[in-house]
Amino acid sequence: MTCGGHYPAAEEPPASCRFCTDERQWVPPTGQRWATLAGLAADGYATEVREVEPGLLGVGVRRHIGVGQRGLLVCTSGGNLLWDPPAFLDEEAVRAVRDAGGLRAVTASHPHMYGAIVDWSDAFDAEILLPEVDAHWLQRPSSAVRTWSGTLPVLPGVTLVQCGGHFPGSAALHWADGADGAGALLVGDTVMVTPGEDRITFMWSAPNRLPLPERWVRGIVAALRPYWFDRIYGGWWLPVLRRDAKRVLEVCADRYIQFLRGEVDLDG
């Protein structure tokens, strides 16, 4: 319930969760809690699907579970891709995606956002696209997994970009047709949009307040430099960096590094 990670069906849950016991996550003081999709549905969990912009649908959950991400369905002339699927799905969500043209592939920005990725793959016979370096984090085996590294053009105008940082395989999705043709970047929390919707930042662990080292920040910026984008969508409904996103990314990366190096005069 804390991380939203999925495990194979079993009579008893694992003794611990690999995601939660990792330094980037956490285990509640009251101990690990486990759930099933059927149990969550009986408790009133339900999905919500709504348009974010033309060609982009958000897929979320009305009650918080795991890290609480909202997935994004990118619709193209060559098929659709689901990004960062939430940890819960139901028939309403499957029906909405089917009505939008179905699903060719499902992928995620990093392992914390794998969510119900195998269930989505099974529902549509869709490929699961995972960065090779992080594929071992998928806890439910699936023959639909296809690994990649570096960059991967998936659909018309849709490219996956391995950025590193939070995880070695942390990725972004570049959607050339997004933001009215100015380009949009889907990032999960490979970079994090801040509440004022005018800046971004970087974290190794958001809940444990651990920053990202300079060389990894520079690696993210370098990986994204070849792409044009005016908008950045994080892993949740809000906040969104709505304009001038490429410039903001580079300016904020420089500012972040100044703080890491102690080059900021906070007393002046």
Side-chain angles (χ1 to χ4, degrees):
M1 291 293 290
T2 304
C3 72
H6 280 221
Y7 286 77
E11 291 297 322
E12 297 290 336
S16 64
C17 170
R18 186 182 179 196
F19 297 99
C20 291
T21 54
D22 180 76
E23 187 177 26
R24 286 158 287 202
Q25 261 294 117
W26 57 285
V27 177
T30 51
Q32 200 89 63
R33 284 183 59 208
W34 298 87
T36 65
L37 289 180
L40 292 172
D43 286 342
Y45 283 80
T47 55
E48 59 176 330
V49 180
R50 61 179 190 250
E51 185 179 70
V52 175
E53 65 168 85
L56 190 67
L57 295 180
V59 182
V61 183
R62 292 196 182 97
R63 291 177 62 187
H64 189 94
I65 180 173
V67 298
Q69 77 265 29
R70 166 273 295 120
L72 290 169
L73 183 74
V74 183
C75 303
T76 80
S77 60
N80 300 340
L81 178 145
L82 181 61
W83 171 261
D84 280 351
F88 175 80
L89 86 163
D90 54 20
E91 284 302 316
E92 291 297 320
V94 172
R95 187 178 302 113
V97 170
R98 186 176 294 117
D99 290 345
L103 197 58
R104 285 272 303 276
V106 57
T107 187
S109 58
H110 67 291
H112 290 157
M113 305 291 211
Y114 284 175
I117 197 167
V118 174
D119 299 276
W120 279 107
S121 170
D122 290 347
F124 289 92
D125 194 24
E127 280 191 314
I128 299 174
L129 303 176
L130 300 181
E132 183 176 6
V133 70
D134 286 343
H136 64 282
W137 281 95
L138 184 67
Q139 301 302 300
R140 290 177 61 189
S142 172
S143 60
V145 171
R146 172 188 171 195
T147 60
W148 63 281
S149 60
T151 61
L152 180 67
V154 185
L155 295 168
V158 176
T159 303
L160 297 178
V161 183
Q162 183 179 344
C163 302
H166 186 43
F167 279 78
S170 283
L173 182 150
H174 181 252
W175 179 33
D177 294 333
D180 297 320
L185 200 65
L186 283 52
V187 296
D189 64 2
T190 301
V191 302
M192 300 186 71
V193 181
T194 58
E197 298 195 338
D198 59 348
R199 305 181 188 202
I200 59 92
T201 191
F202 309 85
M203 295 294 286
W204 164 256
S205 170
N208 296 322
R209 308 300 192 266
L210 296 175
L212 203 63
E214 176 181 344
R215 64 184 177 90
W216 295 353
V217 173
R218 292 194 182 279
I220 291 170
V221 174
L224 296 174
R225 189 164 288 129
Y227 302 91
W228 290 101
F229 48 92
D230 193 50
R231 187 170 298 158
I232 292 179
Y233 290 105
W236 298 267
W237 293 111
L238 294 172
V240 176
L241 185 53
R242 301 177 189 277
R243 61 186 62 86
D244 204 18
K246 183 163 186 169
R247 183 192 66 81
V248 171
L249 172 69
E250 296 187 353
V251 168
C252 288
D254 288 343
R255 182 67 168 164
Y256 184 92
I257 289 168
Q258 288 176 349
F259 272 88
L260 287 178
R261 292 180 171 183
E263 296 176 349
V264 180
D265 182 6
L266 300 178
D267 300 319

